mmCIF file with all atom_site columns, all heavy atoms in Angstrom:
data_model
loop_
_atom_site.group_PDB
_atom_site.id
_atom_site.type_symbol
_atom_site.label_atom_id
_atom_site.label_alt_id
_atom_site.label_comp_id
_atom_site.label_asym_id
_atom_site.label_entity_id
_atom_site.label_seq_id
_atom_site.pdbx_PDB_ins_code
_atom_site.Cartn_x
_atom_site.Cartn_y
_atom_site.Cartn_z
_atom_site.occupancy
_atom_site.B_iso_or_equiv
_atom_site.pdbx_formal_charge
_atom_site.auth_seq_id
_atom_site.auth_comp_id
_atom_site.auth_asym_id
_atom_site.auth_atom_id
_atom_site.pdbx_PDB_model_num
ATOM 1   N N   . GLU A 1 28 ? 40.432 75.175 69.177 1.00 71.00 ? 28 GLU A N   1
ATOM 2   C CA  . GLU A 1 28 ? 41.695 75.153 69.859 1.00 71.00 ? 28 GLU A CA  1
ATOM 3   C C   . GLU A 1 28 ? 42.073 76.628 70.132 1.00 71.00 ? 28 GLU A C   1
ATOM 4   O O   . GLU A 1 28 ? 42.119 77.390 69.377 1.00 71.00 ? 28 GLU A O   1
ATOM 5   C CB  . GLU A 1 28 ? 42.788 74.533 68.992 1.00 71.00 ? 28 GLU A CB  1
ATOM 6   C CG  . GLU A 1 28 ? 44.024 74.267 69.711 1.00 71.00 ? 28 GLU A CG  1
ATOM 7   C CD  . GLU A 1 28 ? 44.942 73.366 69.073 1.00 71.00 ? 28 GLU A CD  1
ATOM 8   O OE1 . GLU A 1 28 ? 44.690 72.736 67.940 1.00 71.00 ? 28 GLU A OE1 1
ATOM 9   O OE2 . GLU A 1 28 ? 46.145 73.203 69.608 1.00 71.00 ? 28 GLU A OE2 1
ATOM 10  N N   . ARG A 1 29 ? 42.388 76.681 71.424 1.00 74.00 ? 29 ARG A N   1
ATOM 11  C CA  . ARG A 1 29 ? 42.675 78.079 71.927 1.00 74.00 ? 29 ARG A CA  1
ATOM 12  C C   . ARG A 1 29 ? 44.063 78.442 71.777 1.00 74.00 ? 29 ARG A C   1
ATOM 13  O O   . ARG A 1 29 ? 45.017 77.541 71.777 1.00 74.00 ? 29 ARG A O   1
ATOM 14  C CB  . ARG A 1 29 ? 42.213 78.141 73.362 1.00 74.00 ? 29 ARG A CB  1
ATOM 15  C CG  . ARG A 1 29 ? 40.772 78.147 73.451 1.00 74.00 ? 29 ARG A CG  1
ATOM 16  C CD  . ARG A 1 29 ? 40.217 77.501 74.897 1.00 74.00 ? 29 ARG A CD  1
ATOM 17  N NE  . ARG A 1 29 ? 38.740 77.594 74.876 1.00 74.00 ? 29 ARG A NE  1
ATOM 18  C CZ  . ARG A 1 29 ? 37.957 76.607 74.277 1.00 74.00 ? 29 ARG A CZ  1
ATOM 19  N NH1 . ARG A 1 29 ? 38.514 75.669 73.566 1.00 74.00 ? 29 ARG A NH1 1
ATOM 20  N NH2 . ARG A 1 29 ? 36.663 76.642 74.415 1.00 74.00 ? 29 ARG A NH2 1
ATOM 21  N N   . GLY A 1 30 ? 44.395 79.700 71.593 1.00 79.00 ? 30 GLY A N   1
ATOM 22  C CA  . GLY A 1 30 ? 45.793 80.137 71.519 1.00 79.00 ? 30 GLY A CA  1
ATOM 23  C C   . GLY A 1 30 ? 46.446 79.937 70.208 1.00 79.00 ? 30 GLY A C   1
ATOM 24  O O   . GLY A 1 30 ? 47.767 80.052 70.154 1.00 79.00 ? 30 GLY A O   1
ATOM 25  N N   . VAL A 1 31 ? 45.694 79.697 69.190 1.00 83.00 ? 31 VAL A N   1
ATOM 26  C CA  . VAL A 1 31 ? 46.374 79.407 67.826 1.00 83.00 ? 31 VAL A CA  1
ATOM 27  C C   . VAL A 1 31 ? 45.639 80.513 66.915 1.00 83.00 ? 31 VAL A C   1
ATOM 28  O O   . VAL A 1 31 ? 44.406 80.587 66.727 1.00 83.00 ? 31 VAL A O   1
ATOM 29  C CB  . VAL A 1 31 ? 45.921 78.012 67.314 1.00 83.00 ? 31 VAL A CB  1
ATOM 30  C CG1 . VAL A 1 31 ? 46.444 77.719 65.909 1.00 83.00 ? 31 VAL A CG1 1
ATOM 31  C CG2 . VAL A 1 31 ? 46.531 76.931 68.304 1.00 83.00 ? 31 VAL A CG2 1
ATOM 32  N N   . LYS A 1 32 ? 46.445 81.183 66.182 1.00 88.00 ? 32 LYS A N   1
ATOM 33  C CA  . LYS A 1 32 ? 46.007 82.200 65.262 1.00 88.00 ? 32 LYS A CA  1
ATOM 34  C C   . LYS A 1 32 ? 45.912 81.413 63.852 1.00 88.00 ? 32 LYS A C   1
ATOM 35  O O   . LYS A 1 32 ? 46.653 80.864 63.428 1.00 88.00 ? 32 LYS A O   1
ATOM 36  C CB  . LYS A 1 32 ? 47.105 83.247 65.030 1.00 88.00 ? 32 LYS A CB  1
ATOM 37  C CG  . LYS A 1 32 ? 47.161 84.240 66.196 1.00 88.00 ? 32 LYS A CG  1
ATOM 38  C CD  . LYS A 1 32 ? 48.051 85.365 65.841 1.00 88.00 ? 32 LYS A CD  1
ATOM 39  C CE  . LYS A 1 32 ? 48.143 86.340 66.972 1.00 88.00 ? 32 LYS A CE  1
ATOM 40  N NZ  . LYS A 1 32 ? 49.262 86.045 67.944 1.00 88.00 ? 32 LYS A NZ  1
ATOM 41  N N   . LEU A 1 33 ? 44.660 81.627 63.436 1.00 84.00 ? 33 LEU A N   1
ATOM 42  C CA  . LEU A 1 33 ? 44.188 80.843 62.158 1.00 84.00 ? 33 LEU A CA  1
ATOM 43  C C   . LEU A 1 33 ? 43.959 82.022 61.063 1.00 84.00 ? 33 LEU A C   1
ATOM 44  O O   . LEU A 1 33 ? 43.390 83.041 61.439 1.00 84.00 ? 33 LEU A O   1
ATOM 45  C CB  . LEU A 1 33 ? 42.822 80.175 62.348 1.00 84.00 ? 33 LEU A CB  1
ATOM 46  C CG  . LEU A 1 33 ? 42.912 79.096 63.400 1.00 84.00 ? 33 LEU A CG  1
ATOM 47  C CD1 . LEU A 1 33 ? 41.514 78.562 63.599 1.00 84.00 ? 33 LEU A CD1 1
ATOM 48  C CD2 . LEU A 1 33 ? 43.759 77.902 62.900 1.00 84.00 ? 33 LEU A CD2 1
ATOM 49  N N   . ASP A 1 34 ? 44.389 81.746 59.885 1.00 87.00 ? 34 ASP A N   1
ATOM 50  C CA  . ASP A 1 34 ? 44.154 82.667 58.811 1.00 87.00 ? 34 ASP A CA  1
ATOM 51  C C   . ASP A 1 34 ? 42.618 82.617 58.607 1.00 87.00 ? 34 ASP A C   1
ATOM 52  O O   . ASP A 1 34 ? 42.025 81.536 58.468 1.00 87.00 ? 34 ASP A O   1
ATOM 53  C CB  . ASP A 1 34 ? 44.792 82.233 57.459 1.00 87.00 ? 34 ASP A CB  1
ATOM 54  C CG  . ASP A 1 34 ? 46.313 82.208 57.674 1.00 87.00 ? 34 ASP A CG  1
ATOM 55  O OD1 . ASP A 1 34 ? 46.884 83.213 58.410 1.00 87.00 ? 34 ASP A OD1 1
ATOM 56  O OD2 . ASP A 1 34 ? 46.979 81.606 56.893 1.00 87.00 ? 34 ASP A OD2 1
ATOM 57  N N   . TYR A 1 35 ? 42.156 83.834 58.644 1.00 84.00 ? 35 TYR A N   1
ATOM 58  C CA  . TYR A 1 35 ? 40.585 83.957 58.451 1.00 84.00 ? 35 TYR A CA  1
ATOM 59  C C   . TYR A 1 35 ? 40.266 85.449 58.033 1.00 84.00 ? 35 TYR A C   1
ATOM 60  O O   . TYR A 1 35 ? 40.370 86.337 58.762 1.00 84.00 ? 35 TYR A O   1
ATOM 61  C CB  . TYR A 1 35 ? 39.915 83.653 59.772 1.00 84.00 ? 35 TYR A CB  1
ATOM 62  C CG  . TYR A 1 35 ? 38.507 83.166 59.469 1.00 84.00 ? 35 TYR A CG  1
ATOM 63  C CD1 . TYR A 1 35 ? 38.191 81.843 59.552 1.00 84.00 ? 35 TYR A CD1 1
ATOM 64  C CD2 . TYR A 1 35 ? 37.589 84.096 59.301 1.00 84.00 ? 35 TYR A CD2 1
ATOM 65  C CE1 . TYR A 1 35 ? 36.747 81.373 59.345 1.00 84.00 ? 35 TYR A CE1 1
ATOM 66  C CE2 . TYR A 1 35 ? 36.151 83.791 59.142 1.00 84.00 ? 35 TYR A CE2 1
ATOM 67  C CZ  . TYR A 1 35 ? 35.882 82.304 59.281 1.00 84.00 ? 35 TYR A CZ  1
ATOM 68  O OH  . TYR A 1 35 ? 34.550 82.044 59.012 1.00 84.00 ? 35 TYR A OH  1
ATOM 69  N N   . ASP A 1 36 ? 39.629 85.570 56.853 1.00 87.00 ? 36 ASP A N   1
ATOM 70  C CA  . ASP A 1 36 ? 39.262 86.895 56.372 1.00 87.00 ? 36 ASP A CA  1
ATOM 71  C C   . ASP A 1 36 ? 37.814 87.137 56.683 1.00 87.00 ? 36 ASP A C   1
ATOM 72  O O   . ASP A 1 36 ? 36.893 86.761 56.097 1.00 87.00 ? 36 ASP A O   1
ATOM 73  C CB  . ASP A 1 36 ? 39.390 87.108 54.828 1.00 87.00 ? 36 ASP A CB  1
ATOM 74  C CG  . ASP A 1 36 ? 39.291 88.339 54.294 1.00 87.00 ? 36 ASP A CG  1
ATOM 75  O OD1 . ASP A 1 36 ? 38.536 89.124 54.991 1.00 87.00 ? 36 ASP A OD1 1
ATOM 76  O OD2 . ASP A 1 36 ? 39.757 88.563 53.222 1.00 87.00 ? 36 ASP A OD2 1
ATOM 77  N N   . LEU A 1 37 ? 37.677 87.854 57.939 1.00 87.00 ? 37 LEU A N   1
ATOM 78  C CA  . LEU A 1 37 ? 36.342 88.038 58.423 1.00 87.00 ? 37 LEU A CA  1
ATOM 79  C C   . LEU A 1 37 ? 35.436 88.887 57.634 1.00 87.00 ? 37 LEU A C   1
ATOM 80  O O   . LEU A 1 37 ? 34.270 88.777 57.515 1.00 87.00 ? 37 LEU A O   1
ATOM 81  C CB  . LEU A 1 37 ? 36.371 88.721 59.789 1.00 87.00 ? 37 LEU A CB  1
ATOM 82  C CG  . LEU A 1 37 ? 35.271 88.822 60.719 1.00 87.00 ? 37 LEU A CG  1
ATOM 83  C CD1 . LEU A 1 37 ? 34.763 87.354 60.935 1.00 87.00 ? 37 LEU A CD1 1
ATOM 84  C CD2 . LEU A 1 37 ? 35.536 89.468 62.005 1.00 87.00 ? 37 LEU A CD2 1
ATOM 85  N N   . GLU A 1 38 ? 35.932 89.670 56.674 1.00 89.00 ? 38 GLU A N   1
ATOM 86  C CA  . GLU A 1 38 ? 35.182 90.460 55.764 1.00 89.00 ? 38 GLU A CA  1
ATOM 87  C C   . GLU A 1 38 ? 34.602 89.634 54.579 1.00 89.00 ? 38 GLU A C   1
ATOM 88  O O   . GLU A 1 38 ? 33.459 89.961 54.074 1.00 89.00 ? 38 GLU A O   1
ATOM 89  C CB  . GLU A 1 38 ? 35.989 91.604 55.248 1.00 89.00 ? 38 GLU A CB  1
ATOM 90  C CG  . GLU A 1 38 ? 36.119 92.619 56.159 1.00 89.00 ? 38 GLU A CG  1
ATOM 91  C CD  . GLU A 1 38 ? 37.022 93.831 55.586 1.00 89.00 ? 38 GLU A CD  1
ATOM 92  O OE1 . GLU A 1 38 ? 36.531 94.468 54.758 1.00 89.00 ? 38 GLU A OE1 1
ATOM 93  O OE2 . GLU A 1 38 ? 38.059 94.118 56.157 1.00 89.00 ? 38 GLU A OE2 1
ATOM 94  N N   . LYS A 1 39 ? 35.328 88.506 54.352 1.00 89.00 ? 39 LYS A N   1
ATOM 95  C CA  . LYS A 1 39 ? 34.835 87.656 53.138 1.00 89.00 ? 39 LYS A CA  1
ATOM 96  C C   . LYS A 1 39 ? 33.951 86.517 53.669 1.00 89.00 ? 39 LYS A C   1
ATOM 97  O O   . LYS A 1 39 ? 32.995 86.104 52.990 1.00 89.00 ? 39 LYS A O   1
ATOM 98  C CB  . LYS A 1 39 ? 35.990 87.062 52.433 1.00 89.00 ? 39 LYS A CB  1
ATOM 99  C CG  . LYS A 1 39 ? 36.749 88.023 51.566 1.00 89.00 ? 39 LYS A CG  1
ATOM 100 C CD  . LYS A 1 39 ? 37.814 87.351 50.792 1.00 89.00 ? 39 LYS A CD  1
ATOM 101 C CE  . LYS A 1 39 ? 38.713 88.389 49.951 1.00 89.00 ? 39 LYS A CE  1
ATOM 102 N NZ  . LYS A 1 39 ? 39.909 87.750 49.390 1.00 89.00 ? 39 LYS A NZ  1
ATOM 103 N N   . VAL A 1 40 ? 34.242 85.930 54.967 1.00 85.00 ? 40 VAL A N   1
ATOM 104 C CA  . VAL A 1 40 ? 33.585 84.859 55.486 1.00 85.00 ? 40 VAL A CA  1
ATOM 105 C C   . VAL A 1 40 ? 33.092 85.084 56.954 1.00 85.00 ? 40 VAL A C   1
ATOM 106 O O   . VAL A 1 40 ? 33.924 85.246 57.731 1.00 85.00 ? 40 VAL A O   1
ATOM 107 C CB  . VAL A 1 40 ? 34.307 83.600 55.390 1.00 85.00 ? 40 VAL A CB  1
ATOM 108 C CG1 . VAL A 1 40 ? 33.699 82.407 55.913 1.00 85.00 ? 40 VAL A CG1 1
ATOM 109 C CG2 . VAL A 1 40 ? 34.924 83.307 54.008 1.00 85.00 ? 40 VAL A CG2 1
ATOM 110 N N   . PRO A 1 41 ? 31.728 85.187 57.138 1.00 89.00 ? 41 PRO A N   1
ATOM 111 C CA  . PRO A 1 41 ? 31.399 85.429 58.526 1.00 89.00 ? 41 PRO A CA  1
ATOM 112 C C   . PRO A 1 41 ? 31.941 84.276 59.456 1.00 89.00 ? 41 PRO A C   1
ATOM 113 O O   . PRO A 1 41 ? 32.006 83.128 58.917 1.00 89.00 ? 41 PRO A O   1
ATOM 114 C CB  . PRO A 1 41 ? 29.935 85.350 58.453 1.00 89.00 ? 41 PRO A CB  1
ATOM 115 C CG  . PRO A 1 41 ? 29.530 85.790 57.033 1.00 89.00 ? 41 PRO A CG  1
ATOM 116 C CD  . PRO A 1 41 ? 30.718 85.252 56.284 1.00 89.00 ? 41 PRO A CD  1
ATOM 117 N N   . LEU A 1 42 ? 32.353 84.455 60.638 1.00 88.00 ? 42 LEU A N   1
ATOM 118 C CA  . LEU A 1 42 ? 32.771 83.467 61.582 1.00 88.00 ? 42 LEU A CA  1
ATOM 119 C C   . LEU A 1 42 ? 31.559 82.811 62.307 1.00 88.00 ? 42 LEU A C   1
ATOM 120 O O   . LEU A 1 42 ? 30.651 83.691 62.728 1.00 88.00 ? 42 LEU A O   1
ATOM 121 C CB  . LEU A 1 42 ? 33.619 84.148 62.618 1.00 88.00 ? 42 LEU A CB  1
ATOM 122 C CG  . LEU A 1 42 ? 34.210 83.300 63.648 1.00 88.00 ? 42 LEU A CG  1
ATOM 123 C CD1 . LEU A 1 42 ? 35.046 82.252 63.169 1.00 88.00 ? 42 LEU A CD1 1
ATOM 124 C CD2 . LEU A 1 42 ? 35.039 84.085 64.725 1.00 88.00 ? 42 LEU A CD2 1
ATOM 125 N N   . GLU A 1 43 ? 31.395 81.569 62.225 1.00 88.00 ? 43 GLU A N   1
ATOM 126 C CA  . GLU A 1 43 ? 30.299 80.932 62.914 1.00 88.00 ? 43 GLU A CA  1
ATOM 127 C C   . GLU A 1 43 ? 30.952 79.976 64.004 1.00 88.00 ? 43 GLU A C   1
ATOM 128 O O   . GLU A 1 43 ? 31.873 79.125 63.775 1.00 88.00 ? 43 GLU A O   1
ATOM 129 C CB  . GLU A 1 43 ? 29.617 79.990 61.999 1.00 88.00 ? 43 GLU A CB  1
ATOM 130 C CG  . GLU A 1 43 ? 28.632 80.840 60.948 1.00 88.00 ? 43 GLU A CG  1
ATOM 131 C CD  . GLU A 1 43 ? 27.818 79.997 60.132 1.00 88.00 ? 43 GLU A CD  1
ATOM 132 O OE1 . GLU A 1 43 ? 26.746 79.480 60.723 1.00 88.00 ? 43 GLU A OE1 1
ATOM 133 O OE2 . GLU A 1 43 ? 28.178 79.879 58.952 1.00 88.00 ? 43 GLU A OE2 1
ATOM 134 N N   . ILE A 1 44 ? 30.307 80.052 65.188 1.00 86.00 ? 44 ILE A N   1
ATOM 135 C CA  . ILE A 1 44 ? 30.821 79.384 66.441 1.00 86.00 ? 44 ILE A CA  1
ATOM 136 C C   . ILE A 1 44 ? 29.611 78.684 67.054 1.00 86.00 ? 44 ILE A C   1
ATOM 137 O O   . ILE A 1 44 ? 28.535 79.356 67.103 1.00 86.00 ? 44 ILE A O   1
ATOM 138 C CB  . ILE A 1 44 ? 31.788 80.223 67.300 1.00 86.00 ? 44 ILE A CB  1
ATOM 139 C CG1 . ILE A 1 44 ? 30.976 81.496 67.629 1.00 86.00 ? 44 ILE A CG1 1
ATOM 140 C CG2 . ILE A 1 44 ? 33.013 80.461 66.673 1.00 86.00 ? 44 ILE A CG2 1
ATOM 141 C CD1 . ILE A 1 44 ? 31.645 82.496 68.613 1.00 86.00 ? 44 ILE A CD1 1
ATOM 142 N N   . ARG A 1 45 ? 29.854 77.646 67.774 1.00 86.00 ? 45 ARG A N   1
ATOM 143 C CA  . ARG A 1 45 ? 28.762 77.091 68.556 1.00 86.00 ? 45 ARG A CA  1
ATOM 144 C C   . ARG A 1 45 ? 29.069 77.079 69.920 1.00 86.00 ? 45 ARG A C   1
ATOM 145 O O   . ARG A 1 45 ? 30.333 76.779 70.356 1.00 86.00 ? 45 ARG A O   1
ATOM 146 C CB  . ARG A 1 45 ? 28.529 75.519 68.120 1.00 86.00 ? 45 ARG A CB  1
ATOM 147 C CG  . ARG A 1 45 ? 27.876 75.461 66.821 1.00 86.00 ? 45 ARG A CG  1
ATOM 148 C CD  . ARG A 1 45 ? 27.291 74.020 66.565 1.00 86.00 ? 45 ARG A CD  1
ATOM 149 N NE  . ARG A 1 45 ? 28.154 72.966 66.933 1.00 86.00 ? 45 ARG A NE  1
ATOM 150 C CZ  . ARG A 1 45 ? 27.963 71.733 66.344 1.00 86.00 ? 45 ARG A CZ  1
ATOM 151 N NH1 . ARG A 1 45 ? 27.196 71.562 65.437 1.00 86.00 ? 45 ARG A NH1 1
ATOM 152 N NH2 . ARG A 1 45 ? 28.732 70.858 66.828 1.00 86.00 ? 45 ARG A NH2 1
ATOM 153 N N   . THR A 1 46 ? 28.051 77.353 70.935 1.00 87.00 ? 46 THR A N   1
ATOM 154 C CA  . THR A 1 46 ? 28.241 77.263 72.298 1.00 87.00 ? 46 THR A CA  1
ATOM 155 C C   . THR A 1 46 ? 27.153 76.373 72.897 1.00 87.00 ? 46 THR A C   1
ATOM 156 O O   . THR A 1 46 ? 26.052 76.250 72.296 1.00 87.00 ? 46 THR A O   1
ATOM 157 C CB  . THR A 1 46 ? 28.156 78.728 72.931 1.00 87.00 ? 46 THR A CB  1
ATOM 158 O OG1 . THR A 1 46 ? 26.927 79.335 72.715 1.00 87.00 ? 46 THR A OG1 1
ATOM 159 C CG2 . THR A 1 46 ? 29.316 79.595 72.389 1.00 87.00 ? 46 THR A CG2 1
ATOM 160 N N   . ASP A 1 47 ? 27.297 76.065 74.149 1.00 86.00 ? 47 ASP A N   1
ATOM 161 C CA  . ASP A 1 47 ? 26.295 75.306 74.886 1.00 86.00 ? 47 ASP A CA  1
ATOM 162 C C   . ASP A 1 47 ? 26.284 75.864 76.381 1.00 86.00 ? 47 ASP A C   1
ATOM 163 O O   . ASP A 1 47 ? 25.878 75.244 77.209 1.00 86.00 ? 47 ASP A O   1
ATOM 164 C CB  . ASP A 1 47 ? 26.476 73.832 74.858 1.00 86.00 ? 47 ASP A CB  1
ATOM 165 C CG  . ASP A 1 47 ? 27.885 73.252 75.418 1.00 86.00 ? 47 ASP A CG  1
ATOM 166 O OD1 . ASP A 1 47 ? 28.610 74.155 75.923 1.00 86.00 ? 47 ASP A OD1 1
ATOM 167 O OD2 . ASP A 1 47 ? 27.991 72.120 75.319 1.00 86.00 ? 47 ASP A OD2 1
ATOM 168 N N   . SER A 1 48 ? 26.703 77.136 76.643 1.00 89.00 ? 48 SER A N   1
ATOM 169 C CA  . SER A 1 48 ? 26.535 77.731 77.815 1.00 89.00 ? 48 SER A CA  1
ATOM 170 C C   . SER A 1 48 ? 25.266 78.257 78.067 1.00 89.00 ? 48 SER A C   1
ATOM 171 O O   . SER A 1 48 ? 24.613 78.674 77.177 1.00 89.00 ? 48 SER A O   1
ATOM 172 C CB  . SER A 1 48 ? 27.655 78.764 77.983 1.00 89.00 ? 48 SER A CB  1
ATOM 173 O OG  . SER A 1 48 ? 28.974 78.194 77.840 1.00 89.00 ? 48 SER A OG  1
ATOM 174 N N   . THR A 1 49 ? 25.034 78.438 79.390 1.00 91.00 ? 49 THR A N   1
ATOM 175 C CA  . THR A 1 49 ? 23.651 78.968 79.610 1.00 91.00 ? 49 THR A CA  1
ATOM 176 C C   . THR A 1 49 ? 23.876 80.364 80.657 1.00 91.00 ? 49 THR A C   1
ATOM 177 O O   . THR A 1 49 ? 24.992 80.522 81.086 1.00 91.00 ? 49 THR A O   1
ATOM 178 C CB  . THR A 1 49 ? 22.974 78.009 80.732 1.00 91.00 ? 49 THR A CB  1
ATOM 179 O OG1 . THR A 1 49 ? 23.681 77.660 81.862 1.00 91.00 ? 49 THR A OG1 1
ATOM 180 C CG2 . THR A 1 49 ? 22.555 76.708 79.941 1.00 91.00 ? 49 THR A CG2 1
ATOM 181 N N   . ALA A 1 50 ? 22.821 81.170 80.579 1.00 92.00 ? 50 ALA A N   1
ATOM 182 C CA  . ALA A 1 50 ? 22.912 82.356 81.374 1.00 92.00 ? 50 ALA A CA  1
ATOM 183 C C   . ALA A 1 50 ? 23.200 81.961 82.918 1.00 92.00 ? 50 ALA A C   1
ATOM 184 O O   . ALA A 1 50 ? 22.635 81.031 83.333 1.00 92.00 ? 50 ALA A O   1
ATOM 185 C CB  . ALA A 1 50 ? 21.630 83.086 81.319 1.00 92.00 ? 50 ALA A CB  1
ATOM 186 N N   . GLY A 1 51 ? 24.124 82.833 83.506 1.00 93.00 ? 51 GLY A N   1
ATOM 187 C CA  . GLY A 1 51 ? 24.504 82.480 84.788 1.00 93.00 ? 51 GLY A CA  1
ATOM 188 C C   . GLY A 1 51 ? 25.643 81.443 84.974 1.00 93.00 ? 51 GLY A C   1
ATOM 189 O O   . GLY A 1 51 ? 26.130 81.334 86.209 1.00 93.00 ? 51 GLY A O   1
#
Side-chain angles (χ1 to χ4, degrees):
E28 186 165 356
R29 288 150 184 82
V31 176
K32 289 185 179 94
L33 301 171
D34 293 336
Y35 202 100
D36 188 339
L37 191 60
E38 289 179 62
K39 289 183 181 172
V40 182
L42 177 63
E43 290 187 75
I44 52 180
R45 287 194 321 202
T46 61
D47 59 4
S48 295
T49 58

